[in-house]
mmCIF file of all heavy atoms in Angstrom:
data_model
loop_
_atom_site.group_PDB
_atom_site.id
_atom_site.type_symbol
_atom_site.label_atom_id
_atom_site.label_comp_id
_atom_site.label_asym_id
_atom_site.label_seq_id
_atom_site.Cartn_x
_atom_site.Cartn_y
_atom_site.Cartn_z
ATOM 1 N N PRO A 1 0.817 -1.237 0.000
ATOM 2 C CA PRO A 1 0.000 0.000 0.000
ATOM 3 C C PRO A 1 0.842 1.275 0.000
ATOM 4 O O PRO A 1 0.480 2.257 -0.659
ATOM 5 C CB PRO A 1 -0.823 -0.124 1.287
ATOM 6 C CG PRO A 1 -0.937 -1.599 1.515
ATOM 7 C CD PRO A 1 0.387 -2.154 1.081
ATOM 8 N N LYS A 2 1.971 1.279 0.713
ATOM 9 C CA LYS A 2 2.834 2.461 0.708
ATOM 10 C C LYS A 2 3.429 2.676 -0.682
ATOM 11 O O LYS A 2 3.567 3.814 -1.151
ATOM 12 C CB LYS A 2 3.953 2.307 1.742
ATOM 13 C CG LYS A 2 4.846 3.534 1.903
ATOM 14 C CD LYS A 2 4.073 4.732 2.403
ATOM 15 C CE LYS A 2 4.960 5.945 2.657
ATOM 16 N NZ LYS A 2 5.818 5.784 3.854
ATOM 17 N N ALA A 3 3.760 1.589 -1.360
ATOM 18 C CA ALA A 3 4.272 1.707 -2.725
ATOM 19 C C ALA A 3 3.231 2.330 -3.647
ATOM 20 O O ALA A 3 3.564 3.153 -4.512
ATOM 21 C CB ALA A 3 4.691 0.329 -3.244
ATOM 22 N N VAL A 4 1.981 1.947 -3.465
ATOM 23 C CA VAL A 4 0.903 2.549 -4.272
ATOM 24 C C VAL A 4 0.837 4.055 -4.029
ATOM 25 O O VAL A 4 0.713 4.854 -4.968
ATOM 26 C CB VAL A 4 -0.449 1.890 -3.927
ATOM 27 C CG1 VAL A 4 -1.597 2.649 -4.605
ATOM 28 C CG2 VAL A 4 -0.457 0.427 -4.348
ATOM 29 N N GLU A 5 0.945 4.454 -2.777
ATOM 30 C CA GLU A 5 0.901 5.873 -2.413
ATOM 31 C C GLU A 5 2.053 6.641 -3.064
ATOM 32 O O GLU A 5 1.864 7.746 -3.597
ATOM 33 C CB GLU A 5 0.967 5.986 -0.887
ATOM 34 C CG GLU A 5 0.774 7.381 -0.347
ATOM 35 C CD GLU A 5 0.876 7.438 1.174
ATOM 36 O OE1 GLU A 5 0.958 6.366 1.815
ATOM 37 O OE2 GLU A 5 0.889 8.555 1.725
ATOM 38 N N ILE A 6 3.250 6.066 -3.030
ATOM 39 C CA ILE A 6 4.423 6.725 -3.622
ATOM 40 C C ILE A 6 4.274 6.811 -5.140
ATOM 41 O O ILE A 6 4.592 7.835 -5.755
ATOM 42 C CB ILE A 6 5.708 5.963 -3.242
ATOM 43 C CG1 ILE A 6 5.954 6.060 -1.727
ATOM 44 C CG2 ILE A 6 6.914 6.513 -4.008
ATOM 45 C CD1 ILE A 6 7.063 5.157 -1.224
ATOM 46 N N LYS A 7 3.789 5.725 -5.746
ATOM 47 C CA LYS A 7 3.617 5.735 -7.207
ATOM 48 C C LYS A 7 2.659 6.842 -7.633
ATOM 49 O O LYS A 7 2.905 7.553 -8.623
ATOM 50 C CB LYS A 7 3.095 4.383 -7.690
ATOM 51 C CG LYS A 7 2.951 4.279 -9.213
ATOM 52 C CD LYS A 7 2.558 2.875 -9.622
ATOM 53 C CE LYS A 7 2.570 2.716 -11.142
ATOM 54 N NZ LYS A 7 1.434 3.391 -11.788
ATOM 55 N N LYS A 8 1.574 7.028 -6.884
ATOM 56 C CA LYS A 8 0.621 8.091 -7.215
ATOM 57 C C LYS A 8 1.266 9.462 -7.082
ATOM 58 O O LYS A 8 1.017 10.364 -7.891
ATOM 59 C CB LYS A 8 -0.600 7.981 -6.300
ATOM 60 C CG LYS A 8 -1.496 6.789 -6.611
ATOM 61 C CD LYS A 8 -2.681 6.728 -5.652
ATOM 62 C CE LYS A 8 -3.596 5.552 -5.988
ATOM 63 N NZ LYS A 8 -4.730 5.433 -5.028
ATOM 64 N N TYR A 9 2.119 9.625 -6.073
ATOM 65 C CA TYR A 9 2.797 10.910 -5.875
ATOM 66 C C TYR A 9 3.744 11.219 -7.038
ATOM 67 O O TYR A 9 3.879 12.375 -7.456
ATOM 68 C CB TYR A 9 3.581 10.889 -4.558
ATOM 69 C CG TYR A 9 4.239 12.206 -4.225
ATOM 70 C CD1 TYR A 9 3.521 13.232 -3.620
ATOM 71 C CD2 TYR A 9 5.585 12.432 -4.527
ATOM 72 C CE1 TYR A 9 4.116 14.449 -3.324
ATOM 73 C CE2 TYR A 9 6.195 13.645 -4.230
ATOM 74 C CZ TYR A 9 5.455 14.642 -3.629
ATOM 75 O OH TYR A 9 6.056 15.838 -3.345
ATOM 76 N N CYS A 10 4.402 10.172 -7.547
ATOM 77 C CA CYS A 10 5.398 10.363 -8.614
ATOM 78 C C CYS A 10 4.776 10.406 -10.008
ATOM 79 O O CYS A 10 5.479 10.716 -10.977
ATOM 80 C CB CYS A 10 6.434 9.238 -8.561
ATOM 81 S SG CYS A 10 7.489 9.263 -7.093
ATOM 82 N N GLU A 11 3.491 10.073 -10.112
ATOM 83 C CA GLU A 11 2.816 10.010 -11.404
ATOM 84 C C GLU A 11 3.045 11.284 -12.210
ATOM 85 O O GLU A 11 2.894 12.400 -11.702
ATOM 86 C CB GLU A 11 1.319 9.826 -11.187
ATOM 87 C CG GLU A 11 0.616 9.086 -12.327
ATOM 88 C CD GLU A 11 0.739 7.577 -12.197
ATOM 89 O OE1 GLU A 11 0.259 7.025 -11.203
ATOM 90 O OE2 GLU A 11 1.324 6.976 -13.118
ATOM 91 N N ASP A 12 3.460 11.092 -13.465
ATOM 92 C CA ASP A 12 3.687 12.196 -14.402
ATOM 93 C C ASP A 12 4.856 13.102 -14.009
ATOM 94 O O ASP A 12 5.057 14.153 -14.624
ATOM 95 C CB ASP A 12 2.418 13.051 -14.566
ATOM 96 C CG ASP A 12 1.247 12.257 -15.111
ATOM 97 O OD1 ASP A 12 1.494 11.379 -15.968
ATOM 98 O OD2 ASP A 12 0.107 12.487 -14.673
ATOM 99 N N LYS A 13 5.613 12.706 -12.966
ATOM 100 C CA LYS A 13 6.805 13.457 -12.576
ATOM 101 C C LYS A 13 8.070 12.656 -12.870
ATOM 102 O O LYS A 13 9.020 13.162 -13.469
ATOM 103 C CB LYS A 13 6.766 13.792 -11.081
ATOM 104 C CG LYS A 13 5.572 14.610 -10.621
ATOM 105 C CD LYS A 13 5.599 14.756 -9.103
ATOM 106 C CE LYS A 13 4.363 15.441 -8.580
ATOM 107 N NZ LYS A 13 4.333 15.447 -7.086
ATOM 108 N N ILE A 14 8.060 11.382 -12.424
ATOM 109 C CA ILE A 14 9.201 10.498 -12.629
ATOM 110 C C ILE A 14 8.723 9.072 -12.402
ATOM 111 O O ILE A 14 7.934 8.816 -11.481
ATOM 112 C CB ILE A 14 10.367 10.847 -11.673
ATOM 113 C CG1 ILE A 14 11.643 10.088 -12.060
ATOM 114 C CG2 ILE A 14 10.003 10.598 -10.217
ATOM 115 C CD1 ILE A 14 12.904 10.604 -11.352
ATOM 116 N N PRO A 15 9.126 8.109 -13.223
ATOM 117 C CA PRO A 15 8.708 6.723 -13.004
ATOM 118 C C PRO A 15 9.249 6.189 -11.672
ATOM 119 O O PRO A 15 10.366 6.509 -11.270
ATOM 120 C CB PRO A 15 9.320 5.977 -14.193
ATOM 121 C CG PRO A 15 9.511 7.021 -15.240
ATOM 122 C CD PRO A 15 9.855 8.276 -14.493
ATOM 123 N N ALA A 16 8.441 5.373 -10.996
ATOM 124 C CA ALA A 16 8.820 4.825 -9.694
ATOM 125 C C ALA A 16 8.717 3.301 -9.714
ATOM 126 O O ALA A 16 7.729 2.736 -10.194
ATOM 127 C CB ALA A 16 7.930 5.394 -8.593
ATOM 128 N N THR A 17 9.751 2.635 -9.211
ATOM 129 C CA THR A 17 9.725 1.194 -9.011
ATOM 130 C C THR A 17 10.056 0.915 -7.548
ATOM 131 O O THR A 17 10.472 1.819 -6.812
ATOM 132 C CB THR A 17 10.719 0.473 -9.930
ATOM 133 O OG1 THR A 17 12.058 0.867 -9.572
ATOM 134 C CG2 THR A 17 10.480 0.828 -11.388
ATOM 135 N N PHE A 18 9.921 -0.354 -7.138
ATOM 136 C CA PHE A 18 9.963 -0.625 -5.712
ATOM 137 C C PHE A 18 10.714 -1.925 -5.405
ATOM 138 O O PHE A 18 10.561 -2.927 -6.108
ATOM 139 C CB PHE A 18 8.541 -0.707 -5.154
ATOM 140 C CG PHE A 18 7.738 0.521 -5.477
ATOM 141 C CD1 PHE A 18 6.947 0.589 -6.620
ATOM 142 C CD2 PHE A 18 7.816 1.641 -4.667
ATOM 143 C CE1 PHE A 18 6.244 1.733 -6.945
ATOM 144 C CE2 PHE A 18 7.118 2.803 -4.981
ATOM 145 C CZ PHE A 18 6.337 2.843 -6.119
ATOM 146 N N GLY A 19 11.515 -1.857 -4.330
ATOM 147 C CA GLY A 19 12.134 -3.038 -3.775
ATOM 148 C C GLY A 19 11.507 -3.283 -2.414
ATOM 149 O O GLY A 19 11.716 -2.501 -1.483
ATOM 150 N N VAL A 20 10.710 -4.337 -2.304
ATOM 151 C CA VAL A 20 9.995 -4.628 -1.062
ATOM 152 C C VAL A 20 10.628 -5.855 -0.426
ATOM 153 O O VAL A 20 10.763 -6.896 -1.068
ATOM 154 C CB VAL A 20 8.492 -4.858 -1.310
ATOM 155 C CG1 VAL A 20 7.768 -5.099 0.011
ATOM 156 C CG2 VAL A 20 7.892 -3.652 -2.045
ATOM 157 N N GLY A 21 11.017 -5.714 0.837
ATOM 158 C CA GLY A 21 11.752 -6.784 1.494
ATOM 159 C C GLY A 21 10.980 -7.482 2.583
ATOM 160 O O GLY A 21 10.208 -8.408 2.349
ATOM 161 N N THR A 22 11.159 -7.005 3.808
ATOM 162 C CA THR A 22 10.640 -7.679 4.989
ATOM 163 C C THR A 22 9.128 -7.858 4.936
ATOM 164 O O THR A 22 8.603 -8.876 5.396
ATOM 165 C CB THR A 22 11.034 -6.893 6.257
ATOM 166 O OG1 THR A 22 12.454 -6.676 6.239
ATOM 167 C CG2 THR A 22 10.688 -7.661 7.508
ATOM 168 N N ASN A 23 8.409 -6.907 4.376
ATOM 169 C CA ASN A 23 6.953 -7.011 4.315
ATOM 170 C C ASN A 23 6.489 -8.164 3.430
ATOM 171 O O ASN A 23 5.355 -8.621 3.560
ATOM 172 C CB ASN A 23 6.348 -5.695 3.820
ATOM 173 C CG ASN A 23 4.832 -5.720 3.794
ATOM 174 O OD1 ASN A 23 4.229 -5.771 2.724
ATOM 175 N ND2 ASN A 23 4.211 -5.715 4.970
ATOM 176 N N LEU A 24 7.359 -8.653 2.560
ATOM 177 C CA LEU A 24 7.019 -9.814 1.749
ATOM 178 C C LEU A 24 7.507 -11.115 2.390
ATOM 179 O O LEU A 24 6.785 -12.106 2.409
ATOM 180 C CB LEU A 24 7.610 -9.674 0.342
ATOM 181 C CG LEU A 24 6.970 -8.611 -0.561
ATOM 182 C CD1 LEU A 24 7.726 -8.513 -1.878
ATOM 183 C CD2 LEU A 24 5.496 -8.919 -0.807
ATOM 184 N N THR A 25 8.721 -11.132 2.910
ATOM 185 C CA THR A 25 9.319 -12.379 3.374
ATOM 186 C C THR A 25 9.229 -12.592 4.880
ATOM 187 O O THR A 25 9.681 -13.613 5.380
ATOM 188 C CB THR A 25 10.800 -12.460 2.964
ATOM 189 O OG1 THR A 25 11.508 -11.356 3.556
ATOM 190 C CG2 THR A 25 10.963 -12.421 1.458
ATOM 191 N N ASN A 26 8.633 -11.619 5.601
ATOM 192 C CA ASN A 26 8.473 -11.807 7.040
ATOM 193 C C ASN A 26 7.144 -11.253 7.534
ATOM 194 O O ASN A 26 7.032 -10.731 8.635
ATOM 195 C CB ASN A 26 9.630 -11.154 7.808
ATOM 196 C CG ASN A 26 9.864 -11.819 9.165
ATOM 197 O OD1 ASN A 26 8.942 -12.395 9.741
ATOM 198 N ND2 ASN A 26 11.072 -11.729 9.662
ATOM 199 N N ASP A 27 6.122 -11.390 6.710
ATOM 200 C CA ASP A 27 4.753 -11.073 7.107
ATOM 201 C C ASP A 27 4.037 -12.409 7.223
ATOM 202 O O ASP A 27 3.422 -12.899 6.280
ATOM 203 C CB ASP A 27 4.100 -10.179 6.050
ATOM 204 C CG ASP A 27 2.692 -9.742 6.441
ATOM 205 O OD1 ASP A 27 2.274 -10.018 7.581
ATOM 206 O OD2 ASP A 27 2.004 -9.131 5.595
ATOM 207 N N VAL A 28 4.127 -13.035 8.412
ATOM 208 C CA VAL A 28 3.747 -14.441 8.551
ATOM 209 C C VAL A 28 2.659 -14.680 9.589
ATOM 210 O O VAL A 28 2.386 -15.822 9.954
ATOM 211 C CB VAL A 28 4.989 -15.307 8.898
ATOM 212 C CG1 VAL A 28 6.027 -15.236 7.787
ATOM 213 C CG2 VAL A 28 5.599 -14.883 10.234
ATOM 214 N N GLY A 29 2.013 -13.603 10.090
ATOM 215 C CA GLY A 29 0.962 -13.770 11.079
ATOM 216 C C GLY A 29 1.504 -14.141 12.454
ATOM 217 O O GLY A 29 2.700 -13.987 12.739
ATOM 218 N N ASN A 30 0.624 -14.610 13.305
ATOM 219 C CA ASN A 30 1.009 -15.069 14.649
ATOM 220 C C ASN A 30 1.731 -13.989 15.461
ATOM 221 O O ASN A 30 2.537 -14.315 16.339
ATOM 222 C CB ASN A 30 1.875 -16.330 14.573
ATOM 223 C CG ASN A 30 1.086 -17.538 14.079
ATOM 224 O OD1 ASN A 30 -0.130 -17.568 14.208
ATOM 225 N ND2 ASN A 30 1.774 -18.505 13.504
ATOM 226 N N HIS A 31 1.467 -12.718 15.147
ATOM 227 C CA HIS A 31 2.046 -11.592 15.890
ATOM 228 C C HIS A 31 3.586 -11.595 15.855
ATOM 229 O O HIS A 31 4.243 -11.053 16.738
ATOM 230 C CB HIS A 31 1.574 -11.595 17.346
ATOM 231 C CG HIS A 31 0.080 -11.616 17.489
ATOM 232 N ND1 HIS A 31 -0.706 -10.535 17.176
ATOM 233 C CD2 HIS A 31 -0.765 -12.612 17.880
ATOM 234 C CE1 HIS A 31 -1.982 -10.848 17.384
ATOM 235 N NE2 HIS A 31 -2.051 -12.091 17.809
ATOM 236 N N THR A 32 4.153 -12.199 14.824
ATOM 237 C CA THR A 32 5.602 -12.246 14.680
ATOM 238 C C THR A 32 6.141 -10.865 14.304
ATOM 239 O O THR A 32 5.586 -10.199 13.423
ATOM 240 C CB THR A 32 6.006 -13.269 13.607
ATOM 241 O OG1 THR A 32 5.557 -14.556 14.029
ATOM 242 C CG2 THR A 32 7.517 -13.294 13.425
ATOM 243 N N ILE A 33 7.220 -10.455 14.965
ATOM 244 C CA ILE A 33 7.839 -9.159 14.705
ATOM 245 C C ILE A 33 9.153 -9.379 13.953
ATOM 246 O O ILE A 33 10.021 -10.122 14.417
ATOM 247 C CB ILE A 33 8.111 -8.410 16.020
ATOM 248 C CG1 ILE A 33 6.795 -8.159 16.758
ATOM 249 C CG2 ILE A 33 8.829 -7.086 15.749
ATOM 250 C CD1 ILE A 33 6.960 -7.554 18.126
ATOM 251 N N PRO A 34 9.337 -8.763 12.780
ATOM 252 C CA PRO A 34 10.591 -8.919 12.038
ATOM 253 C C PRO A 34 11.791 -8.404 12.828
ATOM 254 O O PRO A 34 11.677 -7.474 13.633
ATOM 255 C CB PRO A 34 10.368 -8.084 10.774
ATOM 256 C CG PRO A 34 8.879 -8.009 10.642
ATOM 257 C CD PRO A 34 8.348 -7.971 12.048
ATOM 258 N N ARG A 35 12.948 -8.992 12.587
ATOM 259 C CA ARG A 35 14.175 -8.573 13.239
ATOM 260 C C ARG A 35 14.663 -7.259 12.624
ATOM 261 O O ARG A 35 14.590 -7.060 11.416
ATOM 262 C CB ARG A 35 15.293 -9.622 13.072
ATOM 263 C CG ARG A 35 14.907 -11.065 13.311
ATOM 264 C CD ARG A 35 14.239 -11.303 14.661
ATOM 265 N NE ARG A 35 15.021 -10.751 15.734
ATOM 266 C CZ ARG A 35 14.507 -10.066 16.755
ATOM 267 N NH1 ARG A 35 13.215 -9.807 16.816
ATOM 268 N NH2 ARG A 35 15.292 -9.603 17.699
ATOM 269 N N ASN A 36 15.181 -6.374 13.451
ATOM 270 C CA ASN A 36 15.734 -5.104 12.969
ATOM 271 C C ASN A 36 17.255 -5.199 13.052
ATOM 272 O O ASN A 36 17.895 -4.632 13.932
ATOM 273 C CB ASN A 36 15.209 -3.943 13.813
ATOM 274 C CG ASN A 36 15.509 -2.586 13.185
ATOM 275 O OD1 ASN A 36 16.094 -2.509 12.106
ATOM 276 N ND2 ASN A 36 15.140 -1.527 13.865
ATOM 277 N N ILE A 37 17.818 -5.964 12.125
ATOM 278 C CA ILE A 37 19.244 -6.282 12.171
ATOM 279 C C ILE A 37 19.912 -5.904 10.851
ATOM 280 O O ILE A 37 19.311 -5.955 9.787
ATOM 281 C CB ILE A 37 19.486 -7.779 12.468
ATOM 282 C CG1 ILE A 37 18.730 -8.669 11.451
ATOM 283 C CG2 ILE A 37 19.049 -8.115 13.900
ATOM 284 C CD1 ILE A 37 18.970 -10.159 11.626
ATOM 285 N N VAL A 38 21.173 -5.511 10.947
ATOM 286 C CA VAL A 38 21.995 -5.228 9.774
ATOM 287 C C VAL A 38 23.410 -5.735 10.034
ATOM 288 O O VAL A 38 23.779 -6.041 11.165
ATOM 289 C CB VAL A 38 22.039 -3.713 9.439
ATOM 290 C CG1 VAL A 38 20.661 -3.205 9.053
ATOM 291 C CG2 VAL A 38 22.602 -2.918 10.600
ATOM 292 N N MET A 39 24.198 -5.810 8.978
ATOM 293 C CA MET A 39 25.626 -6.109 9.112
ATOM 294 C C MET A 39 26.354 -5.155 8.185
ATOM 295 O O MET A 39 26.145 -5.185 6.967
ATOM 296 C CB MET A 39 25.917 -7.556 8.755
ATOM 297 C CG MET A 39 27.282 -8.037 9.228
ATOM 298 S SD MET A 39 27.382 -9.821 9.331
ATOM 299 C CE MET A 39 29.084 -9.996 9.920
ATOM 300 N N LYS A 40 27.158 -4.272 8.764
ATOM 301 C CA LYS A 40 27.739 -3.176 8.003
ATOM 302 C C LYS A 40 29.268 -3.191 8.071
ATOM 303 O O LYS A 40 29.868 -3.674 9.037
ATOM 304 C CB LYS A 40 27.232 -1.834 8.539
ATOM 305 C CG LYS A 40 25.756 -1.580 8.306
ATOM 306 C CD LYS A 40 25.407 -1.479 6.830
ATOM 307 C CE LYS A 40 23.950 -1.115 6.619
ATOM 308 N NZ LYS A 40 23.594 -1.090 5.174
ATOM 309 N N LEU A 41 29.869 -2.605 7.040
ATOM 310 C CA LEU A 41 31.316 -2.423 7.013
ATOM 311 C C LEU A 41 31.706 -1.367 8.041
ATOM 312 O O LEU A 41 31.236 -0.236 7.986
ATOM 313 C CB LEU A 41 31.742 -1.983 5.614
ATOM 314 C CG LEU A 41 33.250 -1.856 5.355
ATOM 315 C CD1 LEU A 41 33.909 -3.231 5.365
ATOM 316 C CD2 LEU A 41 33.491 -1.169 4.012
ATOM 317 N N ILE A 42 32.565 -1.721 8.989
ATOM 318 C CA ILE A 42 32.972 -0.768 10.032
ATOM 319 C C ILE A 42 34.456 -0.420 9.954
ATOM 320 O O ILE A 42 34.914 0.492 10.657
ATOM 321 C CB ILE A 42 32.644 -1.288 11.441
ATOM 322 C CG1 ILE A 42 33.414 -2.584 11.737
ATOM 323 C CG2 ILE A 42 31.148 -1.476 11.612
ATOM 324 C CD1 ILE A 42 33.429 -2.952 13.203
ATOM 325 N N GLY A 43 35.220 -1.110 9.110
ATOM 326 C CA GLY A 43 36.635 -0.792 8.984
ATOM 327 C C GLY A 43 37.211 -1.384 7.713
ATOM 328 O O GLY A 43 36.696 -2.375 7.186
#
């Protein structure tokens, strides 16, 4: 739904595409909360 909102905002201004991650692969019901984890280059 947020992607739809952004696409409407960008309409006729600039084409918009979307990379959707956690909402697709970790929307599993049962009140499960996705992990807020990253692994970054620090040195």
Side-chain angles (χ1 to χ4, degrees):
K2 185 63 176 288
V4 172
E5 187 181 353
I6 294 170
K7 183 175 187 287
K8 288 179 179 177
Y9 184 82
C10 293
E11 208 83 61
D12 299 323
K13 301 175 186 174
I14 190 168
T17 65
F18 306 92
V20 182
T22 307
N23 183 252
L24 290 176
T25 60
N26 206 334
D27 183 7
V28 298
N30 292 336
H31 306 289
T32 298
I33 299 174
R35 315 306 309 137
N36 192 1
I37 55 177
V38 296
M39 196 160 180
K40 292 296 185 183
L41 185 69
I42 62 165

